[in-house]
């Protein structure tokens, strides 16, 4: 067998390994999100009430429907990245943008840097924003009793709960492995060199 053929096969195996690892990470995130938004919703709130308080860009009913099935976008990302094809890998990254934006804006940035959703009025539309003290109280009422393993940062009332602490490594690894798979898929084929 030519050295060229062996090299191509090795690269294909590496690409599929990265694609499979990324798919595994996104599948875990998808299942977790479907569980959280359908079976373990915060407190006693129903979806419509929850999104009414936040005045999302979509209607409360529309946002309720979106979030109930948001985990499906991570599972779609898993299916796409598993193909190992460049366009599918890029599409998988787009499908999973929410899982970077949401936790960063709602938990990680407020927790570490004192900026984000709860510091910006705890609403998605200007007419429903509240002052910081009220926003922090809303956070405590809804999430204050949630389990956590990370300590609070001094002076920052917002913490990262256990769910998002465990979720974020899978999100980051999903992107890292997808990026590595993309790099392998986009590399030029080497010139054909026959072994002697």
């Amino acid at each position: 067998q030519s050295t060229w053929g062996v090299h191509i096969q090795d690269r294909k195996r590496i690409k599929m390994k990265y694609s499979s690892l990324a798919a595994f990470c996104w599948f875990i995130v998808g299942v977790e999100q479907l569980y959280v938004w359908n079976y373990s919703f915060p407190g006693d709130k129903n979806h419509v009430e929850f999104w009414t308080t936040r005045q999302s860009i979509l209607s409360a009913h529309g946002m309720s429907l979106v979030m109930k099935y948001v985990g499906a976008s991570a599972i779609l990302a898993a299916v796409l990245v598993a193909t190992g094809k460049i366009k599918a890998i890029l599409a998988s990254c787009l499908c999973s943008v929410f899982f970077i934006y949401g936790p960063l804006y709602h938990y990680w940035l407020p927790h570490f840097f004192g900026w984000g959703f709860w510091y910006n009025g705890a609403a998605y539309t200007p007419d429903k924003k509240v002052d910081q003290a009220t926003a922090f109280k809303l956070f405590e009422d809804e999430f204050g009793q949630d389990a956590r393993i990370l300590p609070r940062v001094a002076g920052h009332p917002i913490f990262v709960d256990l769910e998002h602490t465990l979720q974020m490594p899978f999100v980051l690894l999903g992107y890292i492995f997808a990026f590595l798979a993309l790099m392998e898929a986009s590399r030029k084929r080497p010139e054909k060199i026959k072994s002697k």
Side-chain angles (χ1 to χ4, degrees):
Q1 188 179 18
S2 68
T3 55
W4 176 80
V6 172
H7 187 64
I8 289 295
Q9 290 303 315
D10 287 344
R11 276 178 42 195
K12 283 183 177 177
R13 280 194 292 270
I14 292 170
K15 180 188 72 174
M16 293 315 295
K17 180 181 74 172
Y18 289 143
S19 294
S20 297
L21 289 169
F24 172 76
C25 290
W26 287 124
F27 180 77
I28 294 296
V29 172
V31 170
E32 181 266 340
Q33 286 292 286
L34 287 172
Y35 171 77
V36 166
W37 289 101
N38 289 277
Y39 300 104
S40 180
F41 199 69
D44 296 322
K45 287 183 176 291
N46 63 47
H47 280 272
V48 174
E49 180 187 354
F50 182 84
W51 289 107
T52 298
T53 62
R54 279 154 177 72
Q55 285 298 304
S56 107
I57 295 171
L58 298 175
S59 69
H61 288 277
M63 201 64 187
S64 168
L65 184 63
V66 168
M67 294 310 297
K68 280 184 178 181
Y69 300 105
V70 70
S73 66
I75 292 176
L76 175 60
V79 172
L80 289 169
V81 76
T83 67
K85 298 182 183 301
I86 293 176
K87 290 182 179 179
I89 295 172
L90 290 172
S92 77
C93 293
L94 290 176
C95 285
S96 44
V97 164
F98 171 82
F99 304 105
I100 282 286
Y101 160 77
L104 282 178
Y105 186 58
H106 288 79
Y107 294 96
W108 294 99
L109 291 176
H111 175 67
F112 285 112
F113 302 104
W115 183 88
F117 180 74
W118 305 99
Y119 286 86
N120 292 339
Y124 297 111
T125 56
D127 60 313
K128 290 294 180 179
K129 289 187 176 181
V130 297
D131 59 82
Q132 280 191 7
T134 302
F136 295 156
K137 185 177 185 305
L138 286 172
F139 176 84
E140 282 297 326
D141 290 344
E142 291 181 5
F143 306 108
Q145 301 304 312
D146 287 0
R148 65 180 187 273
I149 55 176
L150 293 178
R152 291 179 189 254
V153 173
H156 295 178
I158 309 304
F159 62 82
V160 182
D161 61 8
L162 182 62
E163 175 209 339
H164 290 93
T165 302
L166 297 177
Q167 179 199 78
M168 187 54 71
F170 286 100
V171 172
L172 294 177
L173 287 172
Y175 270 106
I176 290 169
F177 288 132
F179 176 76
L180 293 172
L182 184 63
M183 291 300 97
E184 284 298 321
S186 60
R187 285 172 66 181
K188 290 182 179 178
R189 296 180 118 196
E191 293 182 8
K192 190 173 181 179
I193 302 173
K194 296 282 187 181
S195 59
K196 294 183 179 180

